[in-house]
């Protein structure tokens, strides 16, 4: 969501000639259509001895290379597991003309390096700007297994960490980098509370809060998923931090309804004290609200019921909510059920009572002719083919266009979990799909003419994870 400072931002639009991004979420909805995507491609854990990469994908309908990978920037090291990404500057800096959105920040979940990628000099062919080495991060902060990146209004960069360099949880937190990618230390107050587990986060400065979630111990989840480890090695808590003092002020135990809470999204209106988190294993969407006392409360507003199945590792198949998004106008919430295979759209005009208005199946464990089937005899969902290709895995990471009309969907969760639950992803690679959104009445429609195949690269099949636009999006930018 650009400020007219560079090629990347100019391509994405600008606002008032100030800093990067837009002055408000509603202003962002009027931004130009996306023409490029940046999607992380992963070879880590696939058996292909090549580095992970950042793929540039042409999504300009007027372009001759529409729907194609036009460039890949390979990282200089093996075994990174690129995962999520963020920006050096975003709409939180919109009133600062000295800031510009130049660098896509790529923390590596397994190696714990941080890559800063220059997307401004040549948006169609990004280049590597700097590498922050894992040994330096560990020596100065004790943190490793890096995940969520957000830019701060100060120009600093905040990255959540899931453990230490040995894969232990119990003393996790946040890595703080300067705008020049120098290590400043931990963000949380020195000597403060220690977190048993950690994962994603979102901040709302007008309510003086940062909220973070909890996946599990890296030494466990990096090796795949064992249900027997859930009680001891996976999270079920939300953590509420004082945005000003960086102190942990409240911990909420979500219990059995909030097992493995992952992605956190707040309404984009910075005055609103309402957010949502997807509890992956419990497969619930949990609302987060601020009470009159100043404390934060949670309640389950959407339940994805497990399916009683035969031919699977467990007697019940959860939805496994793996990613959630909120449209920039705060009207719709979207989420993916990675194991059950559907993508959903809910009207959240009343956040306490979401209404299902769109659903499409893009894969899943239950397939026609497959080994897994429902015990009640229900037919398998109709999973379509796209451009003659069978859809692999299930819908996972999702990214929404600024106008809310297009969802881009990838299918890799994490390499060891992909291998365990969807071995065909390892063998055939990931893919990127396009789903059209009805923004009037609700509804999701798969585009049968758009299929970006990460299985066709000469080095071998790669996995596809998170997607960003050069000018920011509804999960990267926060308004302050």
């Amino acid at each position: 969501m650009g400020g007219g400072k560079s090629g990347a931002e100019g391509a994405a639009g600008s606002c008032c000639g100030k800093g990067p991004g837009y002055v408000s979420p509603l202003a962002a909805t009027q931004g130009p259509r996306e023409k490029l995507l940046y999607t992380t491609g992963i070879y880590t854990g696939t058996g292909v001895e090549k580095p992970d990469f950042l793929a540039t994908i042409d999504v300009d309908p007027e372009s001759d290379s529409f729907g194609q990978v036009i460039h890949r920037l390979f990282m200089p090291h093996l075994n990174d597991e690129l995962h999520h990404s963020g920006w050096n500057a975003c709409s939180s800096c919109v009133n600062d003309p000295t800031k510009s959105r130049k660098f896509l920040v790529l923390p590596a979940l397994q190696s714990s390096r941080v890559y800063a990628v220059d997307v401004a000099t040549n948006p169609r062919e990004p280049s590597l700007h700097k590498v922050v080495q894992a040994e330096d991060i560990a020596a100065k902060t004790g943190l490793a297994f890096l995940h969520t990146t957000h830019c701060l209004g100060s120009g600093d960069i905040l990255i959540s960490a899931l453990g230490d360099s040995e894969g232990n949880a119990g003393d996790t937190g946040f890595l703080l980098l300067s705008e020049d990618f120098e290590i400043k230390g931990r963000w949380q107050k020195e000597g403060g509370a220690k977190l048993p587990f950690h994962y994603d986060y979102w901040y709302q400065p007008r309510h003086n809060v940062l909220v973070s979630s909890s996946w599990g111990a890296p030494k466990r989840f990096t090796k795949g998923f064992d249900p027997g480890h859930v009680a001891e090695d996976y999270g079920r808590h939300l953590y509420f931090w004082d945005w000003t003092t960086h102190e942990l002020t409240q911990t909420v135990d979500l219990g059995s309804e909030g097992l493995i809470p992952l992605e956190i999204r707040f309404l984009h209106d910075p005055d609103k004290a309402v957010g949502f988190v997807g509890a992956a294993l419990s497969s619930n969407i949990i609302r987060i609200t601020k009470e009159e006392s100043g404390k934060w409360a949670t309640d389950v507003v959407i339940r994805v019921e497990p399916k009683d199945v035969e031919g699977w590792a467990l007697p019940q198949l959860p939805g496994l909510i793996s990613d959630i998004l909120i449209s920039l106008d705060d009207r719709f919430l979207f989420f993916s059920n990675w194991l059950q295979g559907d993508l959903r759209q809910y009207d959240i005009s009343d956040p306490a009572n979401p209404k299902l208005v769109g659903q499409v199946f893009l894969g899943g464990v239950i397939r026609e002719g497959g080994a897994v089937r429902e015990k009640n005899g229900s037919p398998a969902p109709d999973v379509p083919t796209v451009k003659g290709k069978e859809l692999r895995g299930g819908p996972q990471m999702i990214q929404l266009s600024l106008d809310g009309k297009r969802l881009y969907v990838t299918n890799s969760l994490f390499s060891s979990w992909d291998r365990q639950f969807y071995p065909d992803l390892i063998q055939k690679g990931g893919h990127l799909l396009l789903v059209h959104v009805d923004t009037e009445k609700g509804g999701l429609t798969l585009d049968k003419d758009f299929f970006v195949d990460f299985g066709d690269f000469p080095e071998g099949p790669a996995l596809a994870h998170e997607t960003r636009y050069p000018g920011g999006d509804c999960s990267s930018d926060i308004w302050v």
Side-chain angles (χ1 to χ4, degrees):
M1 302 174 192
K5 300 279 183 189
S6 65
E9 292 189 38
S14 60
C15 178
C16 310
K18 295 183 180 180
Y22 286 85
V23 294
S24 72
L26 290 180
T29 65
Q30 303 303 310
R33 177 178 173 138
E34 68 282 356
K35 294 185 177 181
L36 295 175
L37 307 180
Y38 299 129
T39 301
T40 48
I42 296 96
Y43 278 125
T44 300
T46 67
V48 177
E49 290 297 307
K50 295 292 181 181
D52 298 344
F53 57 88
L54 182 69
T56 305
I57 301 168
D58 187 337
V59 291
D60 180 359
E62 303 301 317
S63 171
D64 291 339
S65 53
F66 173 69
Q68 298 177 28
V69 176
I70 58 173
H71 182 263
R72 286 188 294 159
L73 173 66
F74 284 90
M75 301 301 111
H77 301 280
L78 295 173
N79 302 318
D80 280 319
E81 188 106 10
L82 296 182
H83 201 63
H84 286 210
S85 59
W87 294 101
N88 70 303
C90 66
S91 292
S92 63
C93 307
V94 69
N95 292 316
D96 186 348
T98 68
K99 302 292 189 293
S100 61
R101 194 190 307 262
K102 293 181 180 179
F103 303 112
L104 187 63
V105 184
L106 296 169
L109 186 51
Q110 295 228 48
S111 73
S112 304
R113 299 182 184 94
V114 179
Y115 294 102
V117 174
D118 178 356
V119 299
T121 302
N122 185 348
R124 295 176 69 86
E125 297 183 7
S127 59
L128 186 61
H129 171 70
K130 187 172 183 177
V131 182
V132 185
Q133 296 294 349
E135 314 87 77
D136 297 330
I137 294 170
K140 294 181 180 180
T141 68
L143 298 172
F145 295 90
L146 308 177
H147 190 267
T148 300
T149 300
H150 282 298
C151 47
L152 307 184
S154 62
D156 288 340
I157 299 159
L158 191 63
I159 305 176
S160 61
L162 280 59
D164 63 20
S165 56
E166 301 300 317
N168 300 306
D171 188 18
T172 60
F174 301 92
L175 169 66
L176 187 65
L177 301 178
S178 72
E179 57 186 319
D180 298 319
F181 303 99
E182 296 298 323
I183 300 167
K184 298 184 75 171
R186 290 190 180 216
W187 175 84
Q188 67 265 44
K189 186 175 181 179
E190 187 174 355
K194 294 186 177 181
L195 308 181
F197 308 107
H198 209 210
Y199 186 65
D200 192 34
Y201 75 94
W202 195 272
Y203 64 88
Q204 288 288 76
R206 295 187 191 180
H207 293 280
N208 194 37
V209 70
L210 180 151
V211 188
S212 59
S213 61
S214 47
W215 183 2
K219 66 182 180 183
R220 290 296 188 201
F221 71 68
T222 54
K223 295 176 173 58
F225 179 67
D226 183 341
H229 292 153
V230 169
E232 292 186 1
D233 293 314
Y234 286 88
R236 63 182 197 187
H237 294 84
L238 293 180
Y239 307 105
F240 295 83
W241 305 80
D242 186 298
W243 180 246
T244 304
T245 66
H246 306 178
E247 294 177 281
L248 182 65
T249 58
Q250 185 181 351
T251 299
V252 174
D253 186 342
L254 300 173
S256 61
E257 293 192 319
L259 297 176
I260 313 184
L262 295 182
E263 309 298 336
I264 297 176
R265 306 287 183 253
F266 265 65
L267 297 182
H268 297 285
D269 182 342
D271 288 324
K272 297 289 178 63
V274 178
F276 298 89
V277 61
L281 189 58
S282 299
S283 298
N284 293 325
I285 296 293
I286 298 170
R287 183 178 61 135
I288 304 167
T289 54
K290 190 177 184 181
E291 299 178 319
E292 289 186 10
S293 65
K295 292 290 186 180
W296 294 83
T298 61
D299 63 314
V300 176
V301 292
I302 301 171
R303 300 178 188 273
V304 177
E305 297 299 331
K307 296 183 177 183
D308 295 323
V309 294
E310 297 174 327
W312 201 59
L314 296 172
Q316 289 191 316
L317 179 72
L320 204 86
I321 297 173
S322 54
D323 195 18
I324 68 173
L325 287 181
I326 297 175
S327 59
L328 285 165
D329 61 4
D330 288 337
R331 185 181 169 197
F332 295 114
L333 181 145
F334 304 85
F335 67 82
S336 51
N337 285 312
W338 191 58
L339 292 180
Q340 290 187 6
D342 59 315
L343 180 67
R344 298 190 185 189
Q345 175 192 15
Y346 283 80
D347 186 325
I348 55 168
S349 301
D350 176 1
N353 297 286
K355 216 165 108 181
L356 179 64
V357 294
Q359 183 179 28
V360 61
F361 277 86
L362 303 175
V365 169
I366 301 173
R367 306 274 184 127
E368 185 68 37
V372 182
R373 57 195 175 276
E374 289 196 63
K375 284 185 178 179
N376 63 10
S378 295
D382 182 19
V383 179
T385 58
V386 178
K387 298 182 77 170
K389 300 288 184 76
E390 181 182 355
L391 302 188
R392 305 182 285 267
Q396 211 287 91
M397 296 303 297
I398 51 180
Q399 192 54 264
L400 185 66
S401 59
L402 299 184
D403 61 9
K405 295 181 178 180
R406 292 168 300 284
L407 269 171
Y408 296 94
V409 187
T410 57
N411 54 353
S412 167
L413 191 151
F414 184 69
S415 61
S416 58
W417 292 41
D418 294 347
R419 181 180 293 277
Q420 179 178 352
F421 293 106
Y422 290 118
D424 60 334
L425 283 182
I426 303 297
Q427 299 159 6
K428 300 178 181 179
H431 51 56
L432 176 77
L433 305 174
L434 173 59
V435 173
H436 297 283
V437 181
D438 184 333
T439 57
E440 298 298 322
K441 299 179 181 178
L444 302 174
T445 306
L446 176 64
D447 190 318
K448 298 290 190 71
D449 294 316
F450 186 97
F451 187 91
V452 181
D453 196 345
F454 275 57
D456 282 346
F457 296 123
E459 298 84 1
L463 303 170
H465 198 69
E466 191 176 52
T467 295
R468 293 284 181 213
Y469 307 136
D473 50 65
C474 64
S475 61
S476 70
D477 282 35
I478 294 177
W479 282 264
V480 301

